[in-house]
Amino acid sequence: MPSPPHGPQLEKANKIRSEETPMIIALEEHYFDADWNAQADTPRHSPRPDTPFLRRLSDLGEQRIKEMDEAGIDLQVISHAPPGAQGVKDADSVSWARRTNDRLHAAIQQHPSRFAGFAAVPTSDAVTGADELERAVGSLGFKGGMINSLTEGPFLDDKRYWPIFERAQALDVPIYLHPSDPNPAILSTYYKGYAETHPMFIRAGWGFMVETGTQAMRLVLSGIFDAYPRLKIILGHLGETIPYQIARIDEALSRDTPMKNFREVFSEHFYVTTSGFFSTPAMQCCIDEIGIDRVLFSVDWPYASNVAGVKWMKECAMTDSDKDKIFSGNAKRLLKL
């Protein structure tokens, strides 16, 4: 298992920042594996065209590190861009995830002081997916797993998927729930007519939040955290709107249902990142509602700008110690960096 950055490695990473600046760890930073197009579950997911953006997304070396250095980011925790393993044909998803995790591991080994990884976790067979998560964590040194939503079939609260969460608890690593395009039935019902004219409406503009926020809420309601009381989940984009609604959610669910403590369960098991959401009022809401120890810095590179994300965080009106927690302290603790 590769060692986390320490000693000379950490000193090397720290050269790009001054002693007065906290270490900066960004942990929802994406890449694209070259083999994905060959295994994509078409027609549900179209192959990615060769574009300058895709070439940046595919880079695991010079270009990525150059942009990190320009912003002062010391370490990226890298994960496959959506839909990842959830967009690969079921018959191929396990073998694809294994090969992909091996290739990402090799790239991390080339830059161990700058990169870490979240494993691609296949969900077509949850027991096999759990085994791959264990291999990636135990043998490759990954810091957790990434699941890119599920756009067809049952939600993640279905017990067929629980072996993955059970294994994550046993390994003491988080599962990062990342959005993907909404369920096809939802696309037709909620977004018909606008998916073509305003494609970000179904994605980062609204659809991603609805899709992943619903996944997270269903996990809380399912009782999975009673079964696995040490399970940890990460949500990007400042919690996919849940922290801003949590007071009303908590009150409403307590009226006439068995869920009397939504806020307590959510705040105990979920972490949120700033990925692609550089809003001080929104972040302050998260801090007020779930606590600063649950908020972690992320950029969502290359979909969002490293420079913009770091600049925003540095200019936020908060104490240096609080910035240090968000920039790296909370991530060090959660991911054992």
Side-chain angles (χ1 to χ4, degrees):
M1 182 185 301
S3 300
H6 67 284
Q9 288 183 342
L10 188 56
E11 290 175 9
K12 179 182 176 182
N14 289 348
K15 286 182 181 179
I16 64 173
R17 59 186 174 87
S18 69
E19 293 182 358
E20 293 76 22
T21 304
M23 184 179 184
I24 300 177
I25 299 172
L27 70 158
E28 191 199 302
E29 317 310 316
H30 298 299
Y31 82 108
F32 186 79
D33 185 85
D35 191 41
W36 191 90
N37 277 342
Q39 303 296 322
D41 188 5
T42 54
R44 180 171 53 151
H45 298 108
S46 300
R48 303 282 179 92
D50 184 14
T51 63
F53 178 80
L54 182 63
R55 289 192 286 275
R56 281 177 72 222
L57 186 61
S58 302
D59 181 87
L60 286 168
E62 182 179 350
Q63 179 65 33
R64 183 178 296 261
I65 291 174
K66 175 179 178 290
E67 295 194 35
M68 290 168 63
D69 287 350
E70 289 170 350
I73 292 173
D74 298 299
L75 181 73
Q76 276 192 352
V77 185
I78 303 172
S79 53
H80 200 280
Q86 284 61 59
V88 174
K89 296 184 288 290
D90 284 351
D92 301 321
S93 63
V94 174
S95 60
W96 176 85
R98 187 178 183 92
R99 295 192 306 272
T100 297
N101 290 332
D102 284 343
R103 286 190 287 267
L104 178 57
H105 169 65
I108 293 169
Q109 290 297 95
Q110 293 296 312
H111 306 281
S113 68
R114 306 307 302 276
F115 299 157
F118 285 128
V121 179
T123 47
S124 56
D125 180 311
V127 173
T128 307
D131 290 343
E132 176 56 21
L133 174 65
E134 182 168 356
R135 185 188 77 90
V137 172
S139 298
L140 306 183
F142 282 48
K143 303 305 176 186
M146 172 74 74
I147 298 178
N148 287 283
S149 194
L150 290 174
T151 59
E152 291 189 62
F155 286 96
L156 285 167
D157 59 292
D158 191 289
K159 288 192 174 181
R160 73 182 70 185
Y161 301 117
W162 284 27
I164 294 171
F165 298 108
E166 180 180 25
R167 197 71 57 88
Q169 174 179 267
L171 294 166
D172 194 26
V173 296
I175 296 292
Y176 203 126
L177 297 187
H178 190 277
S180 191
D181 285 359
N183 182 288
I186 296 297
L187 279 175
S188 176
T189 303
Y190 282 14
Y191 306 108
K192 187 175 182 179
Y194 293 103
E196 296 76 25
T197 60
H198 299 78
M200 283 299 106
F201 180 40
I202 72 168
R203 297 186 177 99
W206 189 249
F208 278 1
M209 294 175 285
V210 173
E211 178 77 11
T212 313
T214 301
Q215 293 272 19
M217 286 195 62
R218 290 179 66 107
L219 286 176
V220 175
L221 298 177
S222 73
I224 195 170
F225 299 107
D226 294 325
Y228 311 122
R230 299 186 310 281
L231 177 61
K232 294 170 285 192
I233 305 292
I234 305 175
L235 294 176
H237 320 111
L238 289 175
E240 310 293 1
T241 75
I242 291 176
Y244 329 125
Q245 294 286 332
I246 197 166
R248 181 164 171 78
I249 292 169
D250 192 57
E251 188 278 327
L253 291 178
S254 70
R255 294 176 191 173
D256 56 4
T257 74
M259 175 50 65
K260 305 294 186 183
N261 59 341
F262 181 92
R263 178 195 290 276
E264 177 184 336
V265 175
F266 185 88
S267 299
E268 181 178 347
H269 293 279
F270 284 81
Y271 295 78
V272 306
T273 79
T274 65
S275 56
F277 201 163
F278 309 144
S279 165
T280 302
M283 182 175 67
Q284 189 60 53
C285 176
C286 290
I287 293 169
D288 291 344
E289 294 289 9
I290 66 174
I292 195 167
D293 292 339
R294 296 274 162 176
V295 181
L296 309 102
F297 179 74
S298 297
V299 172
D300 207 354
W301 190 90
Y303 300 97
S305 162
N306 285 339
V307 171
V310 172
K311 181 177 184 291
W312 161 72
M313 188 67 225
K314 285 184 175 180
E315 293 177 352
C316 283
M318 60 174 59
T319 66
D320 289 343
S321 61
D322 283 348
K323 287 182 185 179
D324 194 11
K325 284 185 176 183
I326 294 173
F327 263 141
S328 60
N330 295 337
K332 289 177 184 177
R333 185 182 68 255
L334 175 63
L335 304 182
K336 306 179 187 67
L337 292 168

